[in-house]
Amino acid sequence: MRAFVFAVLAFVTLTSTAKTAPLPEVDLKNLLAGVRQNRSTQAEFQEQRVIRLMKNPVQSSGTVWFQPPNKFRREIKGNSPSVTVSDGRELWIYYPNFKSAERYPLGKGSPLDATVAAINSALNLENIETSFNISATKSDTGHELALLPRTAAMKRVFQKLDLRINDKFRVERTDMLLPNGDRIATAYSNQTRAPIPPSTFEFKPPSGTEVTTPLGQ
């Protein structure tokens, strides 16, 4: 379960520090509206996870696809590849090297609902006004946002989420501080807004894959 949370939360990362006056409320609403117009996303990412019990950060890279309100796919490349896919009803994590997959149900009070909501918040800022205290400042190249969770469910996912938004209203960098003090940092590049085929968010375990259901459902 802990490994899953780290894998999914990898959608968010990289520190930003506000150096200017807070954004007026009307400007913040306009900013959020601009970000939410980016309804589909495909991007490459570079991730750094700083884990307190490890000497060196864990580096990874790959590609992410996101379609609001709750569909996403994340593929990690390299020596330890993985594929994380959600169609909004269930979430799969596939490990090609081990020919194994984990399936997690979503909705109906699933323990993972808050984690998936955090992903949606980071990539499209969906419904963040109801779940977070928000502060924003303007920078030379866009805006910096800081989200502090209000709900107990979100506080179990992270302590703070910082986002850097560029002048095209795209989330460019994020920095998540986890409850245990670890950090996950991700920078996004080569973002596109082309329509994403529905099959991107579907997953069928390859033949010979061992499938487990860690939540017992």
Short mmCIF file of all heavy atoms in Angstrom, two decimals, residues 142-182:
data_model
loop_
_atom_site.label_atom_id
_atom_site.label_comp_id
_atom_site.label_asym_id
_atom_site.label_seq_id
_atom_site.Cartn_x
_atom_site.Cartn_y
_atom_site.Cartn_z
N GLY A 142 4.80 33.21 -14.67
CA GLY A 142 3.47 32.63 -14.44
C GLY A 142 3.01 32.88 -13.02
O GLY A 142 2.99 34.02 -12.56
N HIS A 143 2.65 31.80 -12.34
CA HIS A 143 2.15 31.92 -10.97
C HIS A 143 2.66 30.77 -10.11
O HIS A 143 3.00 29.70 -10.61
CB HIS A 143 0.61 31.91 -10.94
CG HIS A 143 -0.02 33.10 -11.58
ND1 HIS A 143 -0.21 33.19 -12.94
CD2 HIS A 143 -0.49 34.26 -11.04
CE1 HIS A 143 -0.79 34.34 -13.23
NE2 HIS A 143 -0.96 35.01 -12.10
N GLU A 144 2.68 31.02 -8.78
CA GLU A 144 3.02 30.00 -7.80
C GLU A 144 1.81 29.80 -6.90
O GLU A 144 1.23 30.77 -6.40
CB GLU A 144 4.21 30.45 -6.95
CG GLU A 144 5.42 30.95 -7.73
CD GLU A 144 6.29 29.82 -8.23
OE1 GLU A 144 6.07 28.68 -7.79
OE2 GLU A 144 7.19 30.09 -9.05
N LEU A 145 1.41 28.55 -6.69
CA LEU A 145 0.29 28.22 -5.83
C LEU A 145 0.75 27.34 -4.68
O LEU A 145 1.62 26.47 -4.87
CB LEU A 145 -0.81 27.47 -6.60
CG LEU A 145 -1.99 28.29 -7.12
CD1 LEU A 145 -1.51 29.22 -8.24
CD2 LEU A 145 -3.11 27.39 -7.63
N ALA A 146 0.17 27.54 -3.52
CA ALA A 146 0.42 26.69 -2.36
C ALA A 146 -0.93 26.18 -1.86
O ALA A 146 -1.82 26.98 -1.59
CB ALA A 146 1.15 27.45 -1.26
N LEU A 147 -1.06 24.86 -1.75
CA LEU A 147 -2.30 24.24 -1.30
C LEU A 147 -2.06 23.55 0.04
O LEU A 147 -1.16 22.72 0.17
CB LEU A 147 -2.80 23.20 -2.31
CG LEU A 147 -2.96 23.63 -3.77
CD1 LEU A 147 -3.56 22.49 -4.58
CD2 LEU A 147 -3.80 24.88 -3.89
N LEU A 148 -2.87 23.89 1.03
CA LEU A 148 -2.84 23.23 2.33
C LEU A 148 -4.15 22.48 2.50
O LEU A 148 -5.23 23.09 2.42
CB LEU A 148 -2.66 24.25 3.45
CG LEU A 148 -1.33 25.01 3.48
CD1 LEU A 148 -1.35 26.05 4.60
CD2 LEU A 148 -0.17 24.03 3.69
N PRO A 149 -4.11 21.16 2.70
CA PRO A 149 -5.35 20.39 2.79
C PRO A 149 -6.18 20.76 4.00
O PRO A 149 -5.65 21.02 5.08
CB PRO A 149 -4.86 18.94 2.85
CG PRO A 149 -3.46 19.04 3.37
CD PRO A 149 -2.92 20.33 2.86
N ARG A 150 -7.50 20.76 3.81
CA ARG A 150 -8.43 21.04 4.90
C ARG A 150 -8.96 19.77 5.54
O ARG A 150 -9.16 19.70 6.74
CB ARG A 150 -9.62 21.86 4.38
CG ARG A 150 -9.31 23.27 3.94
CD ARG A 150 -10.58 23.91 3.42
NE ARG A 150 -10.37 25.29 2.97
CZ ARG A 150 -11.31 26.02 2.40
NH1 ARG A 150 -12.52 25.51 2.18
NH2 ARG A 150 -11.05 27.26 2.02
N THR A 151 -9.24 18.77 4.70
CA THR A 151 -9.92 17.56 5.18
C THR A 151 -8.93 16.57 5.76
O THR A 151 -7.75 16.52 5.39
CB THR A 151 -10.70 16.89 4.04
OG1 THR A 151 -9.76 16.39 3.06
CG2 THR A 151 -11.64 17.88 3.36
N ALA A 152 -9.43 15.73 6.68
CA ALA A 152 -8.58 14.71 7.28
C ALA A 152 -8.07 13.72 6.24
O ALA A 152 -6.92 13.28 6.30
CB ALA A 152 -9.36 13.97 8.37
N ALA A 153 -8.91 13.40 5.26
CA ALA A 153 -8.50 12.45 4.21
C ALA A 153 -7.33 12.99 3.41
O ALA A 153 -6.37 12.26 3.13
CB ALA A 153 -9.68 12.15 3.29
N MET A 154 -7.39 14.27 3.04
CA MET A 154 -6.29 14.87 2.29
C MET A 154 -5.04 15.02 3.13
O MET A 154 -3.92 14.88 2.64
CB MET A 154 -6.71 16.23 1.72
CG MET A 154 -7.60 16.15 0.50
SD MET A 154 -6.72 15.42 -0.90
CE MET A 154 -7.99 15.52 -2.15
N LYS A 155 -5.18 15.31 4.41
CA LYS A 155 -4.02 15.46 5.29
C LYS A 155 -3.27 14.15 5.44
O LYS A 155 -2.07 14.15 5.72
CB LYS A 155 -4.46 15.99 6.66
CG LYS A 155 -4.91 17.44 6.64
CD LYS A 155 -5.37 17.91 8.01
CE LYS A 155 -5.82 19.36 7.96
NZ LYS A 155 -6.32 19.84 9.28
N ARG A 156 -3.97 13.03 5.25
CA ARG A 156 -3.29 11.74 5.29
C ARG A 156 -2.47 11.51 4.02
O ARG A 156 -1.58 10.65 3.99
CB ARG A 156 -4.31 10.61 5.48
CG ARG A 156 -4.89 10.54 6.88
CD ARG A 156 -5.63 9.25 7.11
NE ARG A 156 -6.83 9.16 6.30
CZ ARG A 156 -8.03 9.57 6.71
NH1 ARG A 156 -8.18 10.09 7.91
NH2 ARG A 156 -9.08 9.44 5.92
N VAL A 157 -2.76 12.25 2.95
CA VAL A 157 -2.05 12.09 1.68
C VAL A 157 -0.81 12.98 1.64
O VAL A 157 0.26 12.55 1.23
CB VAL A 157 -2.97 12.41 0.49
CG1 VAL A 157 -2.22 12.32 -0.83
CG2 VAL A 157 -4.16 11.45 0.47
N PHE A 158 -0.94 14.25 2.06
CA PHE A 158 0.21 15.16 2.05
C PHE A 158 -0.01 16.31 3.01
O PHE A 158 -1.12 16.62 3.40
CB PHE A 158 0.51 15.67 0.64
CG PHE A 158 -0.60 16.49 0.02
CD1 PHE A 158 -0.70 17.85 0.25
CD2 PHE A 158 -1.53 15.90 -0.82
CE1 PHE A 158 -1.70 18.61 -0.32
CE2 PHE A 158 -2.53 16.65 -1.41
CZ PHE A 158 -2.62 18.00 -1.16
N GLN A 159 1.11 16.97 3.37
CA GLN A 159 1.05 18.14 4.24
C GLN A 159 0.84 19.42 3.44
O GLN A 159 0.11 20.30 3.86
CB GLN A 159 2.35 18.28 5.03
CG GLN A 159 2.63 17.21 6.04
CD GLN A 159 3.85 17.54 6.87
OE1 GLN A 159 4.02 18.65 7.38
NE2 GLN A 159 4.75 16.57 7.02
N LYS A 160 1.53 19.51 2.29
CA LYS A 160 1.48 20.72 1.49
C LYS A 160 1.79 20.38 0.04
O LYS A 160 2.59 19.49 -0.23
CB LYS A 160 2.49 21.74 2.01
CG LYS A 160 2.46 23.09 1.30
CD LYS A 160 3.51 24.04 1.86
CE LYS A 160 3.47 25.39 1.16
NZ LYS A 160 4.54 26.30 1.63
N LEU A 161 1.15 21.10 -0.86
CA LEU A 161 1.40 20.92 -2.28
C LEU A 161 1.66 22.29 -2.91
O LEU A 161 0.80 23.16 -2.86
CB LEU A 161 0.20 20.26 -2.95
CG LEU A 161 0.22 20.15 -4.48
CD1 LEU A 161 1.41 19.32 -4.94
CD2 LEU A 161 -1.08 19.56 -5.00
N ASP A 162 2.85 22.48 -3.47
CA ASP A 162 3.20 23.71 -4.18
C ASP A 162 3.19 23.43 -5.68
O ASP A 162 3.67 22.38 -6.13
CB ASP A 162 4.59 24.20 -3.77
CG ASP A 162 4.64 24.65 -2.32
OD1 ASP A 162 3.63 25.17 -1.84
OD2 ASP A 162 5.70 24.48 -1.69
N LEU A 163 2.66 24.38 -6.45
CA LEU A 163 2.60 24.22 -7.90
C LEU A 163 3.14 25.46 -8.58
O LEU A 163 2.89 26.59 -8.13
CB LEU A 163 1.16 23.98 -8.37
CG LEU A 163 0.41 22.79 -7.78
CD1 LEU A 163 -0.46 23.26 -6.62
CD2 LEU A 163 -0.45 22.12 -8.84
N ARG A 164 3.84 25.26 -9.67
CA ARG A 164 4.29 26.36 -10.52
C ARG A 164 3.50 26.28 -11.83
O ARG A 164 3.52 25.25 -12.52
CB ARG A 164 5.78 26.27 -10.80
CG ARG A 164 6.30 27.40 -11.69
CD ARG A 164 7.80 27.30 -11.86
NE ARG A 164 8.47 27.40 -10.56
CZ ARG A 164 9.76 27.16 -10.38
NH1 ARG A 164 10.51 26.78 -11.40
NH2 ARG A 164 10.30 27.29 -9.18
N ILE A 165 2.81 27.35 -12.16
CA ILE A 165 1.96 27.39 -13.36
C ILE A 165 2.56 28.41 -14.33
O ILE A 165 2.83 29.55 -13.94
CB ILE A 165 0.51 27.77 -12.99
CG1 ILE A 165 -0.06 26.71 -12.05
CG2 ILE A 165 -0.35 27.91 -14.24
CD1 ILE A 165 -1.40 27.06 -11.48
N ASN A 166 2.77 27.99 -15.57
CA ASN A 166 3.41 28.90 -16.52
C ASN A 166 2.40 29.87 -17.13
O ASN A 166 1.21 29.85 -16.80
CB ASN A 166 4.18 28.12 -17.59
CG ASN A 166 3.27 27.26 -18.47
OD1 ASN A 166 2.09 27.51 -18.63
ND2 ASN A 166 3.86 26.23 -19.06
N ASP A 167 2.88 30.73 -18.05
CA ASP A 167 2.01 31.76 -18.61
C ASP A 167 0.98 31.21 -19.60
O ASP A 167 0.14 31.96 -20.09
CB ASP A 167 2.85 32.86 -19.28
CG ASP A 167 3.79 32.32 -20.35
OD1 ASP A 167 3.74 31.10 -20.65
OD2 ASP A 167 4.59 33.11 -20.88
N LYS A 168 1.04 29.89 -19.87
CA LYS A 168 0.03 29.24 -20.72
C LYS A 168 -0.99 28.47 -19.88
O LYS A 168 -1.74 27.66 -20.40
CB LYS A 168 0.71 28.30 -21.70
CG LYS A 168 1.62 29.00 -22.71
CD LYS A 168 2.25 28.02 -23.67
CE LYS A 168 3.13 28.73 -24.69
NZ LYS A 168 3.77 27.77 -25.64
N PHE A 169 -1.00 28.76 -18.58
CA PHE A 169 -1.93 28.12 -17.63
C PHE A 169 -1.74 26.61 -17.56
O PHE A 169 -2.69 25.86 -17.36
CB PHE A 169 -3.39 28.44 -18.01
CG PHE A 169 -3.72 29.91 -17.94
CD1 PHE A 169 -3.92 30.64 -19.09
CD2 PHE A 169 -3.82 30.56 -16.72
CE1 PHE A 169 -4.21 31.99 -19.04
CE2 PHE A 169 -4.11 31.92 -16.65
CZ PHE A 169 -4.31 32.63 -17.82
N ARG A 170 -0.51 26.17 -17.68
CA ARG A 170 -0.21 24.75 -17.55
C ARG A 170 0.62 24.50 -16.30
O ARG A 170 1.54 25.26 -16.00
CB ARG A 170 0.54 24.25 -18.79
CG ARG A 170 -0.29 24.32 -20.06
CD ARG A 170 0.51 23.89 -21.27
NE ARG A 170 -0.30 23.96 -22.49
CZ ARG A 170 0.15 23.67 -23.70
NH1 ARG A 170 1.40 23.29 -23.86
NH2 ARG A 170 -0.64 23.77 -24.75
N VAL A 171 0.28 23.44 -15.58
CA VAL A 171 1.06 23.09 -14.39
C VAL A 171 2.42 22.59 -14.86
O VAL A 171 2.53 21.58 -15.54
CB VAL A 171 0.35 22.01 -13.57
CG1 VAL A 171 1.21 21.60 -12.38
CG2 VAL A 171 -1.01 22.51 -13.08
N GLU A 172 3.46 23.31 -14.47
CA GLU A 172 4.81 23.06 -14.98
C GLU A 172 5.66 22.27 -13.99
O GLU A 172 6.42 21.39 -14.36
CB GLU A 172 5.46 24.40 -15.28
CG GLU A 172 6.72 24.34 -16.09
CD GLU A 172 7.17 25.75 -16.47
OE1 GLU A 172 7.52 26.53 -15.56
OE2 GLU A 172 7.16 26.07 -17.67
N ARG A 173 5.50 22.61 -12.71
CA ARG A 173 6.24 21.92 -11.66
C ARG A 173 5.38 21.83 -10.40
O ARG A 173 4.55 22.68 -10.17
CB ARG A 173 7.54 22.66 -11.32
CG ARG A 173 8.56 22.67 -12.45
CD ARG A 173 9.81 23.39 -12.04
NE ARG A 173 10.83 23.33 -13.08
CZ ARG A 173 12.03 23.90 -12.99
NH1 ARG A 173 12.36 24.59 -11.91
NH2 ARG A 173 12.89 23.80 -13.98
N THR A 174 5.64 20.80 -9.61
CA THR A 174 4.94 20.67 -8.34
C THR A 174 5.88 20.14 -7.27
O THR A 174 6.89 19.53 -7.57
CB THR A 174 3.72 19.73 -8.46
OG1 THR A 174 4.17 18.45 -8.88
CG2 THR A 174 2.70 20.27 -9.45
N ASP A 175 5.51 20.36 -6.03
CA ASP A 175 6.31 19.88 -4.90
C ASP A 175 5.37 19.43 -3.81
O ASP A 175 4.59 20.22 -3.28
CB ASP A 175 7.22 21.00 -4.39
CG ASP A 175 8.00 20.59 -3.15
OD1 ASP A 175 8.24 19.39 -2.99
OD2 ASP A 175 8.37 21.47 -2.37
N MET A 176 5.41 18.14 -3.48
CA MET A 176 4.53 17.61 -2.45
C MET A 176 5.35 17.19 -1.23
O MET A 176 6.30 16.43 -1.34
CB MET A 176 3.73 16.41 -2.96
CG MET A 176 2.85 15.79 -1.88
SD MET A 176 1.80 14.49 -2.54
CE MET A 176 0.52 15.49 -3.30
N LEU A 177 4.93 17.70 -0.08
CA LEU A 177 5.51 17.29 1.20
C LEU A 177 4.57 16.26 1.81
O LEU A 177 3.41 16.56 2.09
CB LEU A 177 5.67 18.50 2.12
CG LEU A 177 6.16 18.21 3.54
CD1 LEU A 177 7.58 17.60 3.51
CD2 LEU A 177 6.13 19.48 4.39
N LEU A 178 5.08 15.05 2.03
CA LEU A 178 4.26 13.97 2.57
C LEU A 178 4.15 14.05 4.09
O LEU A 178 4.96 14.71 4.74
CB LEU A 178 4.83 12.62 2.14
CG LEU A 178 5.01 12.40 0.63
CD1 LEU A 178 5.50 10.98 0.37
CD2 LEU A 178 3.71 12.66 -0.11
N PRO A 179 3.17 13.38 4.67
CA PRO A 179 2.99 13.44 6.12
C PRO A 179 4.22 13.00 6.92
O PRO A 179 4.44 13.48 8.03
CB PRO A 179 1.80 12.51 6.36
CG PRO A 179 1.03 12.56 5.09
CD PRO A 179 2.07 12.66 4.02
N ASN A 180 5.02 12.08 6.37
CA ASN A 180 6.20 11.58 7.10
C ASN A 180 7.45 12.41 6.86
O ASN A 180 8.54 12.05 7.32
CB ASN A 180 6.46 10.12 6.72
CG ASN A 180 6.83 9.95 5.26
OD1 ASN A 180 6.82 10.91 4.49
ND2 ASN A 180 7.15 8.73 4.86
N GLY A 181 7.32 13.52 6.10
CA GLY A 181 8.46 14.38 5.84
C GLY A 181 9.18 14.11 4.53
O GLY A 181 10.06 14.87 4.15
N ASP A 182 8.84 13.03 3.84
CA ASP A 182 9.41 12.77 2.52
C ASP A 182 8.85 13.78 1.52
O ASP A 182 7.80 14.38 1.75
CB ASP A 182 9.08 11.35 2.05
CG ASP A 182 9.74 10.28 2.90
OD1 ASP A 182 10.62 10.62 3.71
OD2 ASP A 182 9.35 9.11 2.75
#
